[in-house]
């Protein structure tokens, strides 16, 4: 039940505001368009060659609430599930929803508190008592006290749309005593879609609370810009959550809008994920994908493509010298060879450009200080006859862009069956003899083809162990059924939530776990429509190499979002579940495109144990070339990568310093 300090009865006339203010993110009108003029005769489905990690359920998914608002229940680039950092062992979860068909009720912001150890639901309800139009919220936790900190955007009848900030008073370590919230009204621009973050502070004994929000107002060119506003406030980090009352005074917040000037050039900084570096206090970053909506206006703020803006003073200042984009105006990350199956303007394209599509991403720093931003990969081409950029909708795999402080690296998550000879990247097709084999790979749910911003792709980390996971709602089987491939009929309206894992900071990724497969032997997903997955930002260390992943999703009652103009208005379920993965026992990804049997490899060392150095020798099949020997500690962290010579032997000094036989 909802806990209140004071019970006040107020008569409120409730009515639906569903169409009074469209707070969806908007199309710009010049996005690349999908085309279906590919030769899809040789369709197949092929598993990748990497190992599936051992995993099992900790908490099988269950429903917390039935909600009729069937679109982005936990916002866009947010982490709606947050673990307490103290020893209480709880998990906060937030979402927006309507408890009925919305005819007489407002969309409200909800919360839940879950026992992280056994997954049981402790309490849940609306965060505030005010029955007004709310949503697109986010949640965090205060490190020492464990109290929740929440934000959302809200319609005020007089002031318009603004953002809020509140905290859980957490009396006697009991969640649900939410304080009256601070409403931050709009100024000249309307900043909504707020997210809350907590990180180190320049003040001793404090933490810095950030609220990031994006601009709803169009640019002077009439296009969406969505530049980011950052508010921050430093609060004491004590076991007493009452210190969080400082968050409720707007005078305590400092504002900065570092990319407001992008609007004058009609440059849209899409995604705009915020991340705090746990390795370097004061280092925070914004990252995303820039688009020139009206072309080159001259003196553009950043090239099209991926960008990252770093601050090294806790987000106080944003130096232009720390704004990094792609090195040229070609927004393609890299190019791959075209194959006979893809046609542009009735001719075979010379090559395809790889870029990002879909904007519901997240960004996390790993244990080595690299920033990982995940995205939906697109293979596209510029076509005069098509009126601009086009892409092939049946081939959109999961990927990530990694910023190491100086350069971008673009990787598939996980690698795919074919290898492109031009770029060296894996691709979802291959040429075998005279046949071109196509492997549809669609890392979004294809929930409704015309929906904008439907995908949600999230990542989570454990920085101490080098563990990472990436999660998405996958529509590959839906696509195979639509293309007439036999055996996939039952997946016509059933996306699968996939999760791929890494134990080496994203260097290699496992074959995806089909978390919500309808043929699961343990959980009945047959009647579920599993869309909009969200992760807790942190992977819990359970010991012995096992890590726990907390997640939520929406189980729709009909295929398609009614709110976005498709599907039925019959609601769905706000779901929570968790699983654990054996990260230490997970076999790292092996570049093994020819299915060479590696089971006969024998990784022995002498002397063992050793003080100074040890010689590692092995026997391997003759087919294997360019072998690497990877050393892992007992936590499953990658310690060193050794490159042996032709004698299948390498010497390691047992330290992290380089020598002639060791490569990073």
């Amino acid at each position: 039940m909802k806990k209140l300090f004071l019970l006040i009865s107020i008569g409120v006339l409730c009515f639906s505001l569903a169409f009074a203010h469209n707070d969806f993110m908007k199309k710009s009108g010049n996005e690349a368009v999908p085309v279906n003029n590919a030769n899809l005769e040789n369709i197949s489905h092929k598993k990748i060659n990497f190992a599936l990690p051992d995993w099992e359920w900790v908490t099988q998914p269950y429903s917390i609430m039935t909600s009729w608002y069937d679109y982005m229940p936990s916002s866009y680039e947010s982490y709606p599930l947050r673990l307490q950092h103290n020893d209480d062992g709880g998990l906060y979860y937030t979402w927006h929803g309507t408890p009925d068909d919305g005819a007489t009720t407002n969309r409200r912001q909800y919360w839940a508190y879950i026992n992280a150890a056994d997954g049981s639901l402790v309490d849940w309800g609306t965060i505030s008592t005010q029955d007004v139009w709310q949503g697109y919220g986010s949640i965090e936790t205060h490190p020492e006290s464990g109290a929740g900190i929440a934000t959302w955007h809200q319609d005020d009848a007089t002031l318009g749309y603004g953002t809020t900030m509140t905290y859980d008073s957490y009396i006697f370590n009991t969640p649900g005593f939410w304080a009256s919230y601070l409403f931050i009204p709009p100024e000249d621009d309307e900043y909504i879609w707020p997210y809350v973050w907590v990180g180190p502070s320049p003040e001793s004994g404090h933490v810095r609370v950030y609220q990031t929000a994006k601009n709803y107002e169009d640019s002077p060119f009439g296009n969406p810009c969505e530049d980011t506003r950052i508010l921050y406030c430093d609060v004491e980090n004590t076991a007493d959550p009452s210190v969080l009352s400082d968050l409720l005074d707007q005078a305590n917040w400092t504002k900065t809008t570092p990319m407001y000037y992008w609007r004058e050039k009609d440059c849209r900084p899409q995604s705009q994920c915020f991340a705090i570096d746990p390795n370097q206090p004061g280092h925070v970053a914004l990252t995303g994908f820039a688009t020139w909506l009206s072309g080159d206006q001259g003196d553009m703020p950043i090239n099209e493509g991926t960008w990252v803006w770093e601050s090294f003073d806790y987000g106080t200042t944003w130096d232009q010298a720390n704004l990094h984009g792609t090195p040229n105006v070609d927004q393609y990350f890299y190019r791959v060879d075209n194959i006979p199956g893809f046609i542009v303007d009735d001719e075979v394209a010379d090559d395809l450009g790889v870029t990002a599509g879909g904007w519901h991403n997240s960004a996390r720093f790993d244990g080595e200080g690299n920033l990982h931003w995940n995205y939906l990969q697109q293979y596209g081409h510029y076509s005069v006859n098509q009126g601009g950029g086009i892409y092939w909708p049946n081939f959109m795999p999961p990927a990530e862009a990694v910023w190491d402080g100086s350069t971008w690296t673009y990787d598939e998550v996980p690698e795919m069956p074919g290898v492109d000879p031009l770029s060296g990247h894996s691709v979802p097709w291959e040429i075998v003899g005279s046949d071109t084999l196509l492997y549809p790979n669609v890392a979004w749910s294809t929930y409704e083809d015309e929906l904008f911003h439907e995908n949600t792709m999230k990542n989570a980390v454990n920085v101490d162990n080098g563990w990472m996971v990436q999660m998405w709602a996958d529509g590959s089987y839906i696509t195979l059924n639509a293309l007439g491939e036999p055996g996939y009929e039952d997946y016509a309206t059933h996306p699968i939530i996939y999760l791929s894992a890494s134990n080496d900071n994203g260097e290699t990724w496992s074959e995806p776990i089909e978390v919500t497969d309808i043929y699961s032997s343990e959980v009945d997903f047959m009647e579920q429509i599993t869309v909009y997955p969200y992760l807790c930002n942190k992977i819990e260390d359970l010991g012995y190499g096992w890590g726990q992943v907390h997640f939520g999703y929406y189980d729709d009652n009909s295929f398609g979002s009614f709110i976005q103009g498709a599907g039925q208005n019959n609601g769905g379920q706000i779901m929570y579940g968790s699983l654990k993965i054996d990260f230490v026992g997970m076999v790292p990804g092996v570049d093994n495109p020819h299915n060479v049997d590696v089971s006969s490899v024998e990784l022995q060392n002498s002397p063992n144990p050793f003080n100074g150095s040890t010689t590692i020798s092995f026997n391997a099949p003759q087919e294997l070339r360019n072998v690497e020997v990877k050393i892992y500690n007992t936590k499953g962290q990658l310690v060193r990568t050794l490159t042996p010579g032709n004698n299948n032997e390498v010497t390691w000094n047992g330290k992290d310093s380089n020598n002639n036989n060791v490569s990073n």
Side-chain angles (χ1 to χ4, degrees):
M1 295 294 294
K2 178 69 181 170
K3 304 174 183 66
L4 301 174
F5 291 119
L6 181 63
L7 180 62
I8 303 176
S9 177
I10 302 177
V12 179
L13 178 62
C14 298
F15 57 96
S16 175
L17 299 177
F19 302 102
H21 184 289
N22 185 353
D23 51 1
F24 304 150
M25 291 185 180
K26 296 176 285 187
K27 290 184 179 181
S28 62
N30 66 346
E31 290 83 8
V33 297
V35 294
N36 292 295
N37 58 351
N39 181 359
L40 301 177
E41 292 180 358
N42 294 315
I43 290 293
S44 182
H45 189 258
K46 180 179 180 180
K47 293 285 189 179
I48 58 173
N49 300 314
F50 302 163
L52 187 71
D54 288 336
W55 71 281
E56 57 188 73
W57 290 106
V58 177
T59 304
Q60 295 186 1
Y62 63 82
S63 172
I64 299 177
M65 173 190 176
T66 300
S67 171
W68 270 255
Y69 200 90
D70 61 348
Y71 177 72
M72 289 290 165
S74 290
S75 195
Y76 295 105
E77 291 88 22
S78 70
Y79 284 102
L81 300 100
R82 297 279 191 167
L83 285 162
Q84 291 178 313
H85 302 298
N86 57 13
D87 295 328
D88 289 328
L91 178 83
Y92 281 94
Y93 183 14
T94 192
W95 67 90
H96 62 225
T98 55
D100 54 34
D101 63 7
T104 59
T105 55
N106 285 308
R107 187 186 69 197
R108 302 284 300 279
Q109 193 69 36
Y110 289 81
W111 72 284
Y113 184 87
I114 294 165
N115 185 311
D118 63 16
S120 60
L121 181 63
V122 177
D123 199 1
W124 72 281
T126 56
I127 296 178
S128 73
T129 58
Q130 286 76 12
D131 188 6
V132 293
W133 192 253
Q134 304 168 334
Y136 293 96
S138 176
I139 206 159
E140 251 282 17
T141 55
H142 185 228
E144 282 298 314
S145 71
I149 304 171
T151 185
W152 61 89
H153 71 226
Q154 177 170 302
D155 183 25
D156 182 271
T158 303
L159 300 175
Y161 269 75
T163 63
T164 65
M165 183 62 65
T166 189
Y167 69 96
D168 187 355
S169 297
Y170 204 57
I171 299 175
F172 302 120
N173 290 340
T174 302
F177 294 96
W178 293 95
S180 298
Y181 60 82
L182 168 69
F183 181 76
I184 303 171
E187 299 177 25
D188 294 333
D189 291 90
E190 183 181 296
Y191 287 92
I192 57 177
W193 306 300
Y195 309 117
V196 60
W197 319 87
V198 174
S201 167
E203 295 187 38
S204 178
H206 288 63
V207 291
R208 177 157 289 187
V209 179
Y210 302 85
Q211 185 204 71
T212 61
K214 288 184 282 191
N215 200 338
Y216 181 81
E217 298 296 329
D218 287 343
S219 73
F221 296 81
N223 293 317
C225 179
E226 297 160 3
D227 63 283
T228 295
R229 180 192 70 188
I230 302 173
L231 301 176
Y232 60 85
C233 175
D234 297 303
V235 296
E236 288 186 78
N237 191 22
T238 72
D240 180 7
S242 67
V243 298
L244 295 174
S245 62
D246 287 350
L247 300 176
L248 305 186
D249 185 348
Q250 191 169 352
N252 294 332
W253 292 87
T254 300
K255 181 181 78 170
T256 179
T257 53
M259 59 185 66
Y260 193 82
Y261 70 100
W262 292 29
R263 302 168 59 81
E264 300 302 318
K265 299 293 184 178
D266 210 19
C267 183
R268 186 181 190 182
Q270 295 182 222
S271 184
Q272 303 174 62
C273 297
F274 187 76
I276 300 173
D277 187 352
N279 312 280
Q280 182 179 353
H283 183 204
V284 300
L286 283 163
T287 186
F289 187 90
T291 306
W292 296 352
L293 300 183
S294 298
D296 189 353
Q297 303 294 305
D299 193 27
M300 299 299 286
I302 195 73
N303 287 336
E304 290 193 282
T306 47
W307 60 272
V308 61
W309 202 344
E310 299 173 281
S311 171
F312 295 91
D313 60 0
Y314 304 88
T316 304
T317 60
W318 297 83
D319 193 326
Q320 293 285 325
N322 298 323
L323 174 59
H324 309 282
T326 52
N328 53 61
V329 296
D330 185 350
Q331 66 173 286
Y332 294 134
F333 300 159
Y334 57 90
R335 293 180 182 271
V336 299
D337 267 352
N338 192 21
I339 56 175
F342 295 117
I343 308 297
V344 179
D345 299 340
D346 298 324
E347 295 182 0
V348 177
D350 52 355
D351 58 30
L352 307 177
V354 176
T355 188
W359 310 111
H360 299 152
N361 323 75
S362 61
R364 296 287 290 156
F365 282 96
D366 66 23
E368 297 177 343
N370 303 309
L371 181 62
H372 296 250
W373 175 74
N374 47 32
Y375 64 94
L376 186 73
Q377 191 156 284
Q378 285 183 178
Y379 299 93
H381 195 275
Y382 182 79
S383 169
V384 175
N385 289 351
Q386 293 286 347
I390 61 175
Y391 68 92
W392 283 270
N394 298 326
F395 307 93
M396 296 188 292
E400 67 167 0
V402 183
W403 173 254
D404 66 3
S406 61
T407 58
W408 288 104
T409 301
Y410 304 99
D411 297 314
E412 298 80 29
V413 180
E415 292 189 27
M416 292 170 286
V419 177
D420 171 57
L422 178 63
S423 66
H425 281 259
S426 65
V427 288
W429 56 76
E430 61 180 335
I431 297 178
V432 179
S434 60
D435 292 329
T436 301
L437 302 182
L438 302 175
Y439 309 110
N441 193 318
V442 184
W444 68 323
S445 68
T446 63
Y447 194 37
E448 169 58 53
D449 289 343
E450 297 303 317
L451 295 188
F452 181 56
H453 285 168
E454 186 273 319
N455 67 293
T456 52
M457 189 171 295
K458 307 299 176 189
N459 56 4
V461 301
N462 184 296
V463 295
D464 295 329
N465 296 320
W467 301 342
M468 298 190 72
V469 297
Q470 185 159 316
M471 176 176 274
W472 65 95
D474 193 274
S476 297
Y477 289 178
I478 296 175
T479 300
L480 285 163
N481 172 70
L483 294 173
E485 186 72 6
Y488 295 93
E489 294 83 1
D490 290 343
Y491 292 96
T493 59
H494 288 275
I496 301 175
I497 293 177
Y498 275 9
L499 185 146
S500 190
S502 171
N503 60 10
D504 54 11
N505 287 309
E507 288 290 329
T508 54
W509 293 89
S510 74
E511 180 177 335
I513 299 169
E514 297 180 337
V515 178
T516 62
D517 187 15
I518 58 175
Y519 293 114
S520 168
S521 61
E522 299 181 64
V523 182
D524 183 8
F525 292 109
M526 183 64 75
E527 299 302 319
Q528 294 195 29
I529 300 174
T530 55
V531 290
Y532 306 128
Y534 296 93
L535 279 174
C536 175
N537 64 312
K538 181 180 179 181
I539 304 169
E540 267 195 289
D541 187 346
L542 301 179
Y544 302 100
W546 286 82
Q548 184 171 352
V549 177
H550 301 271
F551 66 97
Y553 64 93
Y554 187 70
D555 169 21
D556 208 345
N557 290 335
S558 63
F559 191 66
S561 169
F562 175 80
I563 297 301
Q564 287 277 78
Q568 303 175 42
N569 190 20
N570 55 359
Q573 309 300 317
I574 301 294
M575 305 291 289
Y576 162 78
S578 72
L579 54 86
K580 62 180 181 179
I581 300 170
D582 182 4
F583 284 91
V584 169
M586 188 173 71
V587 177
V590 178
D591 186 6
N592 187 16
H594 301 294
N595 292 315
V596 175
D597 182 14
V598 297
S599 62
S600 60
V601 175
E602 299 177 359
L603 297 178
Q604 297 179 356
N605 67 299
S606 178
N608 184 12
F610 65 96
N611 281 326
S613 63
T614 185
T615 298
I616 304 171
S617 59
F618 57 91
N619 296 316
Q622 184 64 27
E623 301 96 320
L624 291 180
R625 295 288 187 269
N626 301 321
V627 173
E628 292 181 332
V629 177
K630 294 190 176 184
I631 308 296
Y632 291 83
N633 62 21
T634 56
K635 289 185 175 181
Q637 295 172 286
L638 179 65
V639 177
R640 299 301 292 170
T641 299
L642 312 178
T643 304
N646 295 326
N647 60 351
N648 289 355
E649 187 175 281
V650 65
T651 299
W652 183 44
N653 62 13
K655 299 180 181 179
D656 285 341
S657 59
N658 289 326
N659 57 45
N660 292 333
N661 293 324
V662 177
S663 67
N664 284 314

